[in-house]
Each structure stands twice: as C-alpha cells, then as structure tokens.
Amino acid sequence: MEKYYEIRLSSIGIAIAMIVLGILLTIYPGVSGTIFTRGFAAVVLILALSHAWKGLRARKHHMGGNGNLIGAAVFLILSGISFFKPEFVLSFLPFVTGALLILDGLVKIPLVKSMWNWGGEVRGMGILSAVLPLLLGIFLAAYPFEAAAAAIRIFGIFLLLDGCSDVLRNSMVKRAER
C-alpha cells in the first residue's frame, strides 16, 4: 500500500493533465464527444480495412473470407456513421436508456394503482418510483445528444475534481514531510 502512495504522489504531471482534460470536457462537452467519436471512427476504419484485407487474402487462396468481407462492410458503415454523424452515435445510448426508463415507469403504474389504499407514505413512494423514471426517460429519449453532452460534462467535472484533489494531497504530503 505504501508503494501505491509513493507512485501516486510522484504523478503530479498526471494530475495536471487530468485537470486540463477535465476543464476541456467541462467547457466543451459537445466538441469533446465529437472528437472522441471521430477517434472511434478511425479505429473502426482500421478494423474494417484489416477485415477487408483478411477477407481478400482468404478469397485469393480460395478459403472463403465472406465473413471477413461482411464484417469489413459493417465496420466501414459504422466508421462512416461515427465520422459524419457523431451526434447519432453519442445519442444512441441515452436514447436507449431513456426508452428503458420510460418502460420502467409505465410498468410501475399498475403497481402504484394496486398500492393506492396502503397509505399516503407508500402511495407517495410508489408515485415517485413511477414518475421519476418516466421524466428522466422522456428527457433522455427526447434530448439524447444533450444528455450525452451532460454526461461528458459531468465526467469532466469529476476528472477536474480528482486532479485537484491529487495536487492538494501531493502538496499536503510534501509539506508534512518537511
């Protein structure tokens, strides 16, 4: 455990990098998400080219290769969508999550109806357990790109706080050693 703290204390450069990255993610979440998605597109393009090369080599040697060529086509399409429409890729997960939350809220409505006569406190918790997922789900499904940008911003804030805490801890430990 002591080695961990020695290694962590010497990483002031990493803490400063976390602070800078956290500031960038917090101030520019949309641009950060777009850059991330386009980086993802580049990696997927490399995968597509790799699969195409393997598929063409396999076909040249009469060993099939159709699966690799189909995989290359799928990866190429995903790469194109990720590069030219990054907001679609960024909004996919919040949209799906929103749809599941809406479903969860709707499923709880009959439960709330069956618990209606159990008293005000139970009824209130039941209503809350149905309404909160519905509202959050509607927000996520209606504004998926904004939700992705908010998640990136929150991640940036946590990165910023973690970096600042590392710098403060480092300075406090060094001050205590003197």
Side-chain angles (χ1 to χ4, degrees), residues 6-16 166 169-170:
E6 288 177 16
I7 293 168
R8 269 309 261 173
L9 288 174
S10 65
S11 62
I12 192 76
I14 293 173
I16 291 172
D166 285 351
R169 187 198 65 243
N170 191 7

Side-chain angles (χ1 to χ4, degrees), residues 109-163:
I109 290 174
L111 179 66
V112 172
K113 284 183 178 178
S114 70
M115 296 180 351
W116 196 257
N117 295 327
W118 290 12
E121 190 173 300
V122 174
R123 181 179 28 220
M125 282 295 124
I127 291 170
L128 196 62
S129 74
V131 170
L132 284 179
L134 273 173
L135 292 176
L136 183 59
I138 290 169
F139 172 75
L140 289 175
Y143 304 104
F145 186 68
E146 289 82 358
I152 292 169
R153 180 171 281 137
I154 289 169
F155 179 72
I157 289 169
F158 283 119
L159 211 63
L160 179 64
L161 291 173
D162 187 31

Side-chain angles (χ1 to χ4, degrees), residues 2 26 74 89-90 100 124 126 128 133 167:
E2 193 172 303
T26 303
V74 169
V89 174
L90 285 173
L100 290 173
L128 196 62
V167 169

Side-chain angles (χ1 to χ4, degrees), residues 1 23 54 70 75 78-79 95 105 107 116 122 132 138 156 170:
M1 189 72 164
I23 290 170
K54 288 177 186 176
I70 291 171
F75 283 139
L78 181 60
S79 176
F95 179 78
V107 167
W116 196 257
V122 174
L132 284 179
I138 290 169
N170 191 7

Side-chain angles (χ1 to χ4, degrees), residues 80-92:
I81 291 171
S82 298
F83 189 79
F84 294 109
K85 289 289 189 182
E87 61 276 357
F88 176 76
V89 174
L90 285 173
S91 64
F92 183 73

Side-chain angles (χ1 to χ4, degrees), residues 45-68:
L45 179 62
I46 292 169
L47 282 172
L49 294 174
S50 169
H51 276 277
W53 182 70
K54 288 177 186 176
L56 292 174
R57 275 190 70 197
R59 289 193 87 173
K60 181 180 176 184
H61 297 293
H62 306 290
M63 298 173 58
N66 291 337
N68 280 333

